[in-house]
Amino acid sequence: MDIAADLSIMYVLYIIDKDCANGSIVWDRGVGCHFFHGIPAFQHSASSSGRERRQQPRNKAFSSSSSVAQVQRRIICGAAYVTDGDTITINKQQIRLFGIDAPELEHPYGKQAKWAMVKLCKGQTIQAEIIESDGHGRSVALCTLPDGRDLSAELVKQGLAIDWPKFSNGKYRHLEVAGVRRKLWLADARQRGRMDIWAKFEANRQGQSR
């Protein structure tokens, strides 16, 4: 039985490695595995984005306090199209980076955050472990580079995003550069529920554009 379990683990790691290179959906955490003549095999079904291995459907939990729905964890890999500092698209699936808050494109440092993310993702196969969905229908994922670096952490370390403890439990707070919350004051205001500051900024911006 120990040998069979080892073979199962080795097979899973091989599939993840192999399929990440092909940019397909590769694995659901907790997926059931059975043995066929001593060889581990997975129940799988075809999908438009590639092979997909799924576990049996489970009830989704929803947290009204965070407006985030819990979903089955799965991993997708592929090239990333960058929308802004904390939003990317892989295999036509929009993904919100886990645990951080980057400025909107029209906000101060918004474009810098986007292009920093473009530089990180360019030419790379990004692995996204989808852990939940947000109130805007986007998948929330822990995204990593092939060398294991966390995209959320990298942007925070560059001073172009801040930790969002409501969702991250403070995972990235220690990486924030000095003074970044004054620099990214609109993102900080959103976290503190001060949307009146956003409204004032938008009113001033629209007035200046006339």
Side-chain angles (χ1 to χ4, degrees), residues 118-130:
V118 168
K119 186 175 180 180
L120 284 166
C121 295
K122 186 176 181 180
Q124 305 286 350
T125 297
I126 305 302
Q127 177 175 296
E129 181 183 356
I130 298 173

Side-chain angles (χ1 to χ4, degrees), residues 54-189:
R54 295 184 179 275
Q55 58 184 342
Q56 293 300 316
R58 295 178 296 183
N59 292 332
K60 296 179 182 179
F62 183 76
S63 169
S64 59
S65 61
S66 61
S67 299
V68 170
Q70 301 297 318
V71 299
Q72 289 182 5
R73 289 197 176 200
R74 68 183 188 278
I75 296 173
I76 64 172
C77 299
Y81 171 82
V82 178
T83 302
D84 58 28
D86 53 27
T87 309
I88 63 177
T89 300
I90 300 175
N91 296 340
K92 299 182 180 180
Q93 183 160 356
Q94 193 174 48
I95 294 169
R96 175 69 158 78
L97 269 64
F98 166 77
I100 65 168
D101 195 9
E104 304 296 323
L105 276 178
E106 68 275 12
H107 290 179
Y109 299 100
K111 290 182 175 61
Q112 291 92 324
K114 174 182 177 176
W115 290 110
M117 186 57 62
V118 168
K119 186 175 180 180
L120 284 166
C121 295
K122 186 176 181 180
Q124 305 286 350
T125 297
I126 305 302
Q127 177 175 296
E129 181 183 356
I130 298 173
I131 54 179
E132 54 199 8
S133 61
D134 69 8
H136 303 285
R138 298 173 297 185
S139 296
V140 178
L142 183 64
C143 299
T144 54
L145 292 160
D147 62 8
R149 284 181 295 157
D150 179 346
L151 285 180
S152 294
E154 292 303 307
L155 203 63
V156 172
K157 287 191 288 186
Q158 292 186 39
L160 292 168
I162 56 177
D163 178 55
W164 200 331
K166 178 180 178 180
F167 302 107
S168 72
N169 291 322
K171 178 180 174 71
Y172 304 106
R173 187 61 185 256
H174 70 288
L175 299 175
E176 290 185 3
V177 301
V180 69
R181 288 186 175 263
R182 291 192 299 273
K183 173 182 173 181
L184 306 181
W185 53 280
L186 284 169
D188 183 61

